[in-house]
Amino acid sequence: MKRLLQDGKPGLYLSLAAALIALVGAAAYVAIYMATAAPDVDRVFSWLTFGLMAGGAVLTLAGEWLRLPFTPILGGACFAVALANHLAETAYPLADVLTGVPFFGGNPVLAVAFCVVFGTAAILNVAGAFTAHRA
């Protein structure tokens, strides 16, 4: 760990924060949706979103550990696609809330909460990708 943080600049810390938020968010995403789902999985849950958030976090952490300069871009792409997929799935429960007709189903509070978590990870990663990582 000391080797990783030895000569780090703000970009490194932003990328690490994004990866940790994404990893914890992905774990919470799958755990909460599996715990709160009825016999069928909630409409908002997507294995693609989970896989991209977890994969992007692992890619970013491994890239920082190995000091590969291109991994913030790869991790950021994973985070951005996962966020876009989750935002598309969030439209269904929000449509129910806005129209007052329970047609699509889904938990709008959880959907918006995970939009914030995944969006935070994506924004931190983008900010870290355009900032110096090593001295």
Side-chain angles (χ1 to χ4, degrees), residues 15 26 38 46 52 54 59 68 97-98 112 127:
S15 289
S46 169
L52 285 170
L59 241 165
L68 300 173
V97 170
L98 293 174
V112 171

Side-chain angles (χ1 to χ4, degrees), residues 24-80:
V24 170
Y29 180 69
V30 75
I32 290 172
Y33 273 115
M34 290 301 152
T36 60
D40 297 329
V41 175
D42 194 327
R43 174 131 174 99
V44 180
F45 179 79
S46 169
W47 285 106
L48 178 66
T49 302
F50 169 72
L52 285 170
M53 288 306 285
V58 169
L59 241 165
T60 302
L61 289 173
E64 293 298 345
W65 183 263
L66 297 172
R67 297 178 183 247
L68 300 173
F70 56 86
T71 53
I73 295 169
L74 296 177
C78 290
F79 296 155

